Amino acid sequence: MKYRWIDSPVGPLLLAADGGGLRYVAFAEGKHPVAPGPGWEEDAAFVEEPARQLQAYFEGQLKEFDLKLNPVGTPFQEQVWKALAEIPYGHTVSYLELARSIGRPAACRAVGAANGLNPLSIVLPCHRVIGSDGSLTGYGGGLHIKEALLRLEGCRLF
């Protein structure tokens, strides 16, 4: 695994990738912080393109990431994460809508749990998932970061 830390408007982010693609975009702090593991090698060049695209996103110049991704999870988690990628920039969906989009309308809590374990924050936009009542609920980096990302994208917040 190759990694680097980048500074961002929402705090330090860990980018990590292997030969299969980008594995992590993780907050340094929060509910599920990720730190470099044993055998990980710092290599800024290996994750240069994800860093460039994230910078463009934060500058408002990129609305859709074009990266080779390699998140690892259960088949259900990977199904949820794939559905996250379909949520357009500047839009939000509820957990129920996300559950319906994968054909599992009764699995709202499981979808929420999978969303919370998304290893590719921002790139797989779990920040675009909100409560059915429009409230900002749960986010691994903290609700203040979720709100900041949604405001960056021009989302109307209640």
Side-chain angles (χ1 to χ4, degrees), residues 113-138:
N115 196 50
L117 294 174
N118 171 18
L120 291 166
S121 295
I122 304 168
V123 173
L124 294 179
C126 53
H127 60 278
R128 297 179 189 154
V129 184
I130 61 173
S132 292
D133 63 357
S135 63
L136 301 185
T137 59

Side-chain angles (χ1 to χ4, degrees), residues 18-156:
D18 60 17
L22 189 63
R23 293 274 303 270
Y24 294 100
V25 174
F27 298 102
E29 298 178 3
K31 291 182 183 179
H32 305 286
V34 176
W40 288 29
E41 180 182 331
E42 192 163 3
D43 185 343
F46 196 78
V47 288
E48 182 176 338
E49 183 60 16
R52 187 195 66 73
Q53 288 191 31
L54 280 161
Q55 180 179 356
Y57 167 82
F58 286 120
E59 292 172 354
Q61 299 172 359
L62 183 90
K63 296 185 180 185
E64 192 172 313
F65 293 95
D66 182 21
L67 298 167
K68 186 175 178 187
L69 306 179
N70 191 24
V72 176
T74 67
F76 179 78
Q77 288 170 333
E78 290 177 2
Q79 183 181 27
V80 171
W81 300 337
K82 184 176 180 184
L84 290 174
E86 302 300 317
I87 305 170
Y89 180 95
H91 291 82
T92 58
V93 300
S94 70
Y95 290 95
L96 177 57
E97 290 170 309
L98 188 59
R100 285 180 177 152
S101 77
I102 63 166
R104 305 278 302 268
C108 282
R109 288 186 188 269
V111 163
N115 196 50
L117 294 174
N118 171 18
L120 291 166
S121 295
I122 304 168
V123 173
L124 294 179
C126 53
H127 60 278
R128 297 179 189 154
V129 184
I130 61 173
S132 292
D133 63 357
S135 63
L136 301 185
T137 59
Y139 190 64
L143 289 180
H144 65 291
I145 292 177
K146 184 174 193 165
E147 181 177 351
L149 294 171
L150 292 174
R151 287 192 188 284
L152 171 75
E153 295 183 12
C155 291
R156 184 168 165 238

